[in-house]
Amino acid sequence: QVQVVESGGRLVQPGNSLTLSCTASGGSGSRYTIGWFRQAPGKEREFVGIRSWSASRTFYSSYADAVKGRFTVSGDNAQMTATLQMNNLKPEDTAVYYCIWSDTVINTPQPMDASAVKAWGQGTQVTVSS
């Protein structure tokens, strides 16, 4: 069973940057998807961005429109890690951020559906406020 652990959330001022880290364990093979969802107070959980690895260790990235151009998902295929680099943070980015893992490989620009997620992290709080 795959387990996911994320870290790095904290209070930051608007316009600043923050990096979240994630490590998945218990999985095997080079073909999987790792990435991030978030949930703001009073709102439903939403897709943020993913890196989806093929068997040849090439990857496809996909992002929500709200973060495109500001957030970047990167990571190491063999180590099964991912980071979320968040730049130019806005108050509306305030949320609990969840790292996710799935054995489903995604290569379309459509947001990943939460039903395809096989493992969730416990979440890390990001607060953007002055």
Side-chain angles (χ1 to χ4, degrees):
Q1 184 175 355
V2 174
Q3 294 186 324
V4 180
V5 177
E6 69 276 84
S7 63
R10 61 179 176 85
L11 172 66
V12 295
Q13 292 188 338
N16 283 4
S17 299
L18 183 66
T19 302
L20 305 182
S21 299
C22 171
T23 300
S25 60
S28 61
S30 60
R31 190 174 179 271
Y32 63 88
T33 294
I34 191 166
W36 302 85
F37 279 66
R38 69 185 181 185
Q39 187 167 19
K43 295 187 177 181
E44 293 186 355
R45 197 171 294 189
E46 65 177 4
F47 169 76
V48 175
I50 55 165
R51 176 170 283 202
S52 193
W53 294 97
S54 70
S56 62
R57 297 193 176 183
T58 58
F59 63 86
Y60 182 88
S61 297
S62 176
Y63 298 94
D65 288 343
V67 307
K68 204 171 292 184
R70 298 188 298 123
F71 290 12
T72 303
V73 179
S74 58
D76 185 280
N77 177 271
Q79 298 296 319
M80 211 170 283
T81 58
T83 60
L84 179 65
Q85 175 66 41
M86 303 183 289
N87 297 326
N88 189 24
L89 282 161
K90 304 176 181 181
E92 51 264 42
D93 294 318
T94 295
V96 177
Y97 283 72
Y98 298 90
C99 185
I100 62 93
W101 183 94
S102 174
D103 56 4
T104 299
V105 175
I106 296 167
N107 56 8
T108 70
Q110 303 303 317
M112 180 179 183
D113 193 284
S115 63
V117 174
K118 299 297 176 60
W120 294 85
Q122 79 285 356
T124 186
Q125 177 70 48
V126 173
T127 303
V128 184
S129 175
S130 55

